[in-house]
mmCIF file of all heavy atoms in Angstrom:
data_model
loop_
_atom_site.group_PDB
_atom_site.id
_atom_site.type_symbol
_atom_site.label_atom_id
_atom_site.label_comp_id
_atom_site.label_asym_id
_atom_site.label_seq_id
_atom_site.Cartn_x
_atom_site.Cartn_y
_atom_site.Cartn_z
ATOM 1 N N THR T 22 3.093 12.474 -12.417
ATOM 2 C CA THR T 22 4.259 11.720 -12.746
ATOM 3 C C THR T 22 4.917 11.069 -11.548
ATOM 4 O O THR T 22 4.750 11.540 -10.464
ATOM 5 C CB THR T 22 5.265 12.749 -13.464
ATOM 6 O OG1 THR T 22 5.769 13.600 -12.463
ATOM 7 C CG2 THR T 22 4.698 13.379 -14.662
ATOM 8 N N CYS T 23 5.633 10.024 -11.828
ATOM 9 C CA CYS T 23 6.255 9.250 -10.815
ATOM 10 C C CYS T 23 7.626 8.822 -11.374
ATOM 11 O O CYS T 23 7.662 8.317 -12.544
ATOM 12 C CB CYS T 23 5.422 8.072 -10.473
ATOM 13 S SG CYS T 23 6.087 6.959 -9.176
ATOM 14 N N ARG T 24 8.629 9.112 -10.651
ATOM 15 C CA ARG T 24 9.983 8.836 -11.062
ATOM 16 C C ARG T 24 10.626 7.831 -10.106
ATOM 17 O O ARG T 24 10.635 8.094 -8.898
ATOM 18 C CB ARG T 24 10.798 9.998 -11.239
ATOM 19 C CG ARG T 24 12.309 9.762 -11.550
ATOM 20 C CD ARG T 24 13.046 10.944 -12.115
ATOM 21 N NE ARG T 24 12.514 11.307 -13.473
ATOM 22 C CZ ARG T 24 12.979 12.324 -14.152
ATOM 23 N NH1 ARG T 24 13.783 13.217 -13.628
ATOM 24 N NH2 ARG T 24 12.499 12.549 -15.388
ATOM 25 N N ALA T 25 11.217 6.715 -10.533
ATOM 26 C CA ALA T 25 11.992 5.803 -9.661
ATOM 27 C C ALA T 25 13.425 6.105 -9.678
ATOM 28 O O ALA T 25 14.024 6.497 -10.726
ATOM 29 C CB ALA T 25 11.719 4.334 -10.145
ATOM 30 N N SER T 26 14.115 5.876 -8.578
ATOM 31 C CA SER T 26 15.483 6.245 -8.509
ATOM 32 C C SER T 26 16.385 5.237 -9.229
ATOM 33 O O SER T 26 17.569 5.469 -9.392
ATOM 34 C CB SER T 26 15.939 6.257 -7.069
ATOM 35 O OG SER T 26 15.708 4.985 -6.412
ATOM 36 N N GLN T 27 15.847 4.097 -9.587
ATOM 37 C CA GLN T 27 16.480 3.176 -10.453
ATOM 38 C C GLN T 27 15.442 2.412 -11.288
ATOM 39 O O GLN T 27 14.214 2.487 -10.974
ATOM 40 C CB GLN T 27 17.369 2.185 -9.575
ATOM 41 C CG GLN T 27 16.638 1.474 -8.550
ATOM 42 C CD GLN T 27 17.590 0.651 -7.775
ATOM 43 O OE1 GLN T 27 18.034 -0.480 -8.066
ATOM 44 N NE2 GLN T 27 17.925 1.218 -6.529
ATOM 45 N N GLY T 28 15.860 1.738 -12.359
ATOM 46 C CA GLY T 28 14.904 1.076 -13.277
ATOM 47 C C GLY T 28 14.076 -0.003 -12.607
ATOM 48 O O GLY T 28 14.568 -0.756 -11.854
ATOM 49 N N ILE T 29 12.809 0.070 -12.900
ATOM 50 C CA ILE T 29 11.884 -0.949 -12.319
ATOM 51 C C ILE T 29 11.044 -1.599 -13.374
ATOM 52 O O ILE T 29 10.048 -2.217 -13.135
ATOM 53 C CB ILE T 29 10.969 -0.346 -11.216
ATOM 54 C CG1 ILE T 29 10.144 0.845 -11.850
ATOM 55 C CG2 ILE T 29 11.684 0.192 -10.092
ATOM 56 C CD1 ILE T 29 8.950 1.323 -10.961
ATOM 57 N N SER T 30 11.577 -1.559 -14.623
ATOM 58 C CA SER T 30 10.932 -2.161 -15.763
ATOM 59 C C SER T 30 9.526 -1.598 -15.821
ATOM 60 O O SER T 30 9.348 -0.335 -15.758
ATOM 61 C CB SER T 30 10.945 -3.692 -15.678
ATOM 62 O OG SER T 30 10.223 -4.281 -16.804
ATOM 63 N N SER T 31 8.440 -2.393 -15.790
ATOM 64 C CA SER T 31 7.118 -1.843 -15.835
ATOM 65 C C SER T 31 6.336 -2.136 -14.512
ATOM 66 O O SER T 31 5.181 -2.190 -14.404
ATOM 67 C CB SER T 31 6.253 -2.442 -17.069
ATOM 68 O OG SER T 31 6.816 -1.981 -18.216
ATOM 69 N N TRP T 32 7.157 -2.474 -13.478
ATOM 70 C CA TRP T 32 6.536 -2.882 -12.211
ATOM 71 C C TRP T 32 6.054 -1.784 -11.337
ATOM 72 O O TRP T 32 6.642 -1.500 -10.244
ATOM 73 C CB TRP T 32 7.523 -3.814 -11.415
ATOM 74 C CG TRP T 32 7.936 -5.029 -12.157
ATOM 75 C CD1 TRP T 32 9.198 -5.369 -12.463
ATOM 76 C CD2 TRP T 32 7.174 -6.103 -12.736
ATOM 77 N NE1 TRP T 32 9.242 -6.567 -13.115
ATOM 78 C CE2 TRP T 32 7.940 -6.993 -13.328
ATOM 79 C CE3 TRP T 32 5.745 -6.325 -12.745
ATOM 80 C CZ2 TRP T 32 7.527 -8.132 -13.882
ATOM 81 C CZ3 TRP T 32 5.271 -7.434 -13.368
ATOM 82 C CH2 TRP T 32 6.150 -8.341 -13.973
ATOM 83 N N LEU T 33 5.136 -1.048 -11.905
ATOM 84 C CA LEU T 33 4.657 0.261 -11.292
ATOM 85 C C LEU T 33 3.094 0.147 -11.157
ATOM 86 O O LEU T 33 2.333 -0.253 -12.057
ATOM 87 C CB LEU T 33 5.031 1.393 -12.184
ATOM 88 C CG LEU T 33 4.914 2.824 -11.666
ATOM 89 C CD1 LEU T 33 3.506 3.361 -11.624
ATOM 90 C CD2 LEU T 33 5.445 2.975 -10.229
ATOM 91 N N VAL T 34 2.714 0.505 -9.936
ATOM 92 C CA VAL T 34 1.223 0.416 -9.567
ATOM 93 C C VAL T 34 0.709 1.812 -9.193
ATOM 94 O O VAL T 34 1.543 2.605 -8.584
ATOM 95 C CB VAL T 34 0.898 -0.505 -8.442
ATOM 96 C CG1 VAL T 34 -0.464 -0.621 -8.106
ATOM 97 C CG2 VAL T 34 1.559 -1.945 -8.713
ATOM 98 N N TRP T 35 -0.433 2.120 -9.624
ATOM 99 C CA TRP T 35 -1.063 3.314 -9.190
ATOM 100 C C TRP T 35 -2.271 3.092 -8.343
ATOM 101 O O TRP T 35 -3.149 2.158 -8.697
ATOM 102 C CB TRP T 35 -1.550 4.201 -10.398
ATOM 103 C CG TRP T 35 -0.504 4.840 -11.159
ATOM 104 C CD1 TRP T 35 0.026 4.378 -12.385
ATOM 105 C CD2 TRP T 35 0.247 6.115 -10.896
ATOM 106 N NE1 TRP T 35 1.112 5.240 -12.838
ATOM 107 C CE2 TRP T 35 1.168 6.246 -11.925
ATOM 108 C CE3 TRP T 35 0.095 6.973 -9.870
ATOM 109 C CZ2 TRP T 35 2.051 7.428 -11.903
ATOM 110 C CZ3 TRP T 35 1.028 8.063 -9.928
ATOM 111 C CH2 TRP T 35 1.976 8.258 -10.902
ATOM 112 N N TYR T 36 -2.432 3.783 -7.147
ATOM 113 C CA TYR T 36 -3.567 3.660 -6.352
ATOM 114 C C TYR T 36 -4.299 5.042 -6.166
ATOM 115 O O TYR T 36 -3.681 6.072 -6.240
ATOM 116 C CB TYR T 36 -3.046 3.265 -4.933
ATOM 117 C CG TYR T 36 -2.435 1.903 -4.761
ATOM 118 C CD1 TYR T 36 -1.036 1.824 -4.950
ATOM 119 C CD2 TYR T 36 -3.094 0.779 -4.489
ATOM 120 C CE1 TYR T 36 -0.342 0.663 -4.871
ATOM 121 C CE2 TYR T 36 -2.434 -0.457 -4.417
ATOM 122 C CZ TYR T 36 -1.086 -0.523 -4.575
ATOM 123 O OH TYR T 36 -0.406 -1.719 -4.521
ATOM 124 N N GLN T 37 -5.604 4.897 -5.850
ATOM 125 C CA GLN T 37 -6.404 6.114 -5.469
ATOM 126 C C GLN T 37 -6.846 5.789 -3.986
ATOM 127 O O GLN T 37 -7.221 4.756 -3.603
ATOM 128 C CB GLN T 37 -7.671 6.135 -6.297
ATOM 129 C CG GLN T 37 -8.580 7.233 -5.930
ATOM 130 C CD GLN T 37 -9.916 7.042 -6.644
ATOM 131 O OE1 GLN T 37 -10.720 6.120 -6.381
ATOM 132 N NE2 GLN T 37 -10.207 7.962 -7.628
ATOM 133 N N GLN T 38 -6.690 6.826 -3.188
ATOM 134 C CA GLN T 38 -7.108 6.743 -1.760
ATOM 135 C C GLN T 38 -7.995 7.885 -1.404
ATOM 136 O O GLN T 38 -7.599 9.098 -1.603
ATOM 137 C CB GLN T 38 -5.906 6.612 -0.806
ATOM 138 C CG GLN T 38 -6.339 6.346 0.697
ATOM 139 C CD GLN T 38 -5.097 6.336 1.610
ATOM 140 O OE1 GLN T 38 -4.151 7.002 1.449
ATOM 141 N NE2 GLN T 38 -5.312 5.442 2.619
ATOM 142 N N LYS T 39 -9.169 7.579 -0.867
ATOM 143 C CA LYS T 39 -10.087 8.588 -0.367
ATOM 144 C C LYS T 39 -10.003 8.557 1.136
ATOM 145 O O LYS T 39 -9.565 7.589 1.861
ATOM 146 C CB LYS T 39 -11.515 8.253 -0.842
ATOM 147 C CG LYS T 39 -11.545 8.385 -2.336
ATOM 148 C CD LYS T 39 -12.992 8.249 -2.940
ATOM 149 C CE LYS T 39 -12.964 8.512 -4.457
ATOM 150 N NZ LYS T 39 -14.310 8.355 -5.056
ATOM 151 N N PRO T 40 -10.333 9.661 1.808
ATOM 152 C CA PRO T 40 -10.253 9.798 3.244
ATOM 153 C C PRO T 40 -10.915 8.678 3.994
ATOM 154 O O PRO T 40 -12.035 8.325 3.694
ATOM 155 C CB PRO T 40 -10.908 11.141 3.514
ATOM 156 C CG PRO T 40 -10.710 11.985 2.303
ATOM 157 C CD PRO T 40 -10.849 10.958 1.249
ATOM 158 N N GLY T 41 -10.186 8.075 4.951
ATOM 159 C CA GLY T 41 -10.812 7.063 5.795
ATOM 160 C C GLY T 41 -10.856 5.693 5.098
ATOM 161 O O GLY T 41 -11.455 4.764 5.714
ATOM 162 N N LYS T 42 -10.370 5.505 3.979
ATOM 163 C CA LYS T 42 -10.415 4.273 3.191
ATOM 164 C C LYS T 42 -9.025 3.761 2.855
ATOM 165 O O LYS T 42 -8.079 4.510 2.768
ATOM 166 C CB LYS T 42 -11.193 4.469 1.881
ATOM 167 C CG LYS T 42 -12.578 4.981 2.038
ATOM 168 C CD LYS T 42 -13.419 3.883 2.733
ATOM 169 C CE LYS T 42 -14.901 4.369 2.717
ATOM 170 N NZ LYS T 42 -15.744 3.391 3.459
ATOM 171 N N ALA T 43 -8.966 2.481 2.602
ATOM 172 C CA ALA T 43 -7.800 1.842 2.088
ATOM 173 C C ALA T 43 -7.500 2.199 0.619
ATOM 174 O O ALA T 43 -8.517 2.536 -0.039
ATOM 175 C CB ALA T 43 -7.877 0.400 2.247
ATOM 176 N N PRO T 44 -6.293 2.205 0.257
ATOM 177 C CA PRO T 44 -6.050 2.515 -1.191
ATOM 178 C C PRO T 44 -6.680 1.511 -2.037
ATOM 179 O O PRO T 44 -6.853 0.311 -1.724
ATOM 180 C CB PRO T 44 -4.470 2.382 -1.225
ATOM 181 C CG PRO T 44 -3.957 2.753 0.095
ATOM 182 C CD PRO T 44 -5.066 2.183 0.980
ATOM 183 N N LYS T 45 -7.001 2.020 -3.347
ATOM 184 C CA LYS T 45 -7.660 1.094 -4.291
ATOM 185 C C LYS T 45 -6.770 1.059 -5.551
ATOM 186 O O LYS T 45 -6.315 2.093 -5.974
ATOM 187 C CB LYS T 45 -9.018 1.759 -4.650
ATOM 188 C CG LYS T 45 -9.704 1.101 -5.939
ATOM 189 C CD LYS T 45 -10.896 1.870 -6.285
ATOM 190 C CE LYS T 45 -11.414 1.465 -7.635
ATOM 191 N NZ LYS T 45 -12.641 2.340 -8.081
ATOM 192 N N VAL T 46 -6.563 -0.075 -6.066
ATOM 193 C CA VAL T 46 -5.692 -0.229 -7.158
ATOM 194 C C VAL T 46 -6.355 0.277 -8.464
ATOM 195 O O VAL T 46 -7.567 -0.114 -8.763
ATOM 196 C CB VAL T 46 -5.291 -1.758 -7.509
ATOM 197 C CG1 VAL T 46 -4.421 -1.799 -8.652
ATOM 198 C CG2 VAL T 46 -4.678 -2.360 -6.257
ATOM 199 N N LEU T 47 -5.717 1.121 -9.157
ATOM 200 C CA LEU T 47 -6.190 1.650 -10.483
ATOM 201 C C LEU T 47 -5.571 0.955 -11.621
ATOM 202 O O LEU T 47 -6.191 0.522 -12.544
ATOM 203 C CB LEU T 47 -5.985 3.171 -10.530
ATOM 204 C CG LEU T 47 -6.656 4.094 -9.582
ATOM 205 C CD1 LEU T 47 -6.168 5.476 -9.761
ATOM 206 C CD2 LEU T 47 -8.177 4.015 -9.688
ATOM 207 N N ILE T 48 -4.178 0.989 -11.571
ATOM 208 C CA ILE T 48 -3.424 0.430 -12.707
ATOM 209 C C ILE T 48 -2.289 -0.347 -12.094
ATOM 210 O O ILE T 48 -1.628 0.011 -11.112
ATOM 211 C CB ILE T 48 -2.831 1.670 -13.551
ATOM 212 C CG1 ILE T 48 -3.972 2.335 -14.270
ATOM 213 C CG2 ILE T 48 -1.691 1.292 -14.408
ATOM 214 C CD1 ILE T 48 -3.651 3.672 -14.860
ATOM 215 N N SER T 49 -2.039 -1.465 -12.771
ATOM 216 C CA SER T 49 -0.894 -2.310 -12.470
ATOM 217 C C SER T 49 0.033 -2.488 -13.663
ATOM 218 O O SER T 49 -0.297 -2.185 -14.801
ATOM 219 C CB SER T 49 -1.353 -3.766 -11.977
ATOM 220 O OG SER T 49 -1.955 -4.364 -13.041
ATOM 221 N N ALA T 50 1.285 -2.876 -13.457
ATOM 222 C CA ALA T 50 2.216 -3.057 -14.574
ATOM 223 C C ALA T 50 2.286 -1.866 -15.427
ATOM 224 O O ALA T 50 2.323 -1.881 -16.741
ATOM 225 C CB ALA T 50 1.950 -4.281 -15.337
ATOM 226 N N ALA T 51 2.264 -0.654 -14.810
ATOM 227 C CA ALA T 51 2.398 0.689 -15.412
ATOM 228 C C ALA T 51 1.221 1.062 -16.206
ATOM 229 O O ALA T 51 0.818 2.255 -16.356
ATOM 230 C CB ALA T 51 3.709 0.759 -16.262
ATOM 231 N N SER T 52 0.586 0.108 -16.948
ATOM 232 C CA SER T 52 -0.486 0.570 -17.916
ATOM 233 C C SER T 52 -1.732 -0.313 -17.969
ATOM 234 O O SER T 52 -2.637 -0.086 -18.776
ATOM 235 C CB SER T 52 0.070 0.666 -19.307
ATOM 236 O OG SER T 52 0.575 -0.608 -19.701
ATOM 237 N N ASN T 53 -1.821 -1.359 -17.096
ATOM 238 C CA ASN T 53 -2.904 -2.287 -17.062
ATOM 239 C C ASN T 53 -4.108 -1.729 -16.185
ATOM 240 O O ASN T 53 -3.927 -1.775 -15.001
ATOM 241 C CB ASN T 53 -2.478 -3.644 -16.720
ATOM 242 C CG ASN T 53 -1.590 -4.326 -17.726
ATOM 243 O OD1 ASN T 53 -1.509 -3.864 -18.796
ATOM 244 N ND2 ASN T 53 -0.941 -5.356 -17.342
ATOM 245 N N LEU T 54 -5.139 -1.358 -16.863
ATOM 246 C CA LEU T 54 -6.249 -0.828 -16.044
ATOM 247 C C LEU T 54 -6.969 -2.011 -15.347
ATOM 248 O O LEU T 54 -7.240 -3.061 -15.969
ATOM 249 C CB LEU T 54 -7.191 -0.191 -17.001
ATOM 250 C CG LEU T 54 -8.236 0.743 -16.430
ATOM 251 C CD1 LEU T 54 -7.595 2.090 -15.869
ATOM 252 C CD2 LEU T 54 -9.310 1.214 -17.525
ATOM 253 N N GLN T 55 -7.117 -1.816 -14.045
ATOM 254 C CA GLN T 55 -7.814 -2.895 -13.264
ATOM 255 C C GLN T 55 -9.307 -2.970 -13.576
ATOM 256 O O GLN T 55 -9.905 -1.955 -14.035
ATOM 257 C CB GLN T 55 -7.670 -2.562 -11.842
ATOM 258 C CG GLN T 55 -6.277 -2.653 -11.280
ATOM 259 C CD GLN T 55 -5.684 -4.080 -11.373
ATOM 260 O OE1 GLN T 55 -4.792 -4.191 -12.299
ATOM 261 N NE2 GLN T 55 -5.976 -4.913 -10.535
ATOM 262 N N SER T 56 -9.794 -4.132 -13.463
ATOM 263 C CA SER T 56 -11.264 -4.345 -13.869
ATOM 264 C C SER T 56 -12.114 -3.498 -13.002
ATOM 265 O O SER T 56 -11.880 -3.271 -11.802
ATOM 266 C CB SER T 56 -11.619 -5.894 -13.499
ATOM 267 O OG SER T 56 -12.955 -6.010 -13.655
ATOM 268 N N GLY T 57 -13.068 -2.809 -13.650
ATOM 269 C CA GLY T 57 -14.001 -1.897 -12.979
ATOM 270 C C GLY T 57 -13.501 -0.469 -12.895
ATOM 271 O O GLY T 57 -14.296 0.378 -12.412
#
Side-chain angles (χ1 to χ4, degrees):
Chain T
T22 66
C23 181
R24 174 165 289 176
S26 61
Q27 54 187 281
I29 58 170
S30 185
S31 294
W32 303 121
L33 192 284
V34 182
W35 289 100
Y36 298 90
Q37 176 193 67
Q38 187 179 33
K39 295 184 177 180
K42 300 292 186 183
K45 171 189 170 184
V46 183
L47 299 174
I48 289 169
S49 63
S52 61
N53 291 346
L54 197 66
Q55 296 296 103
S56 175

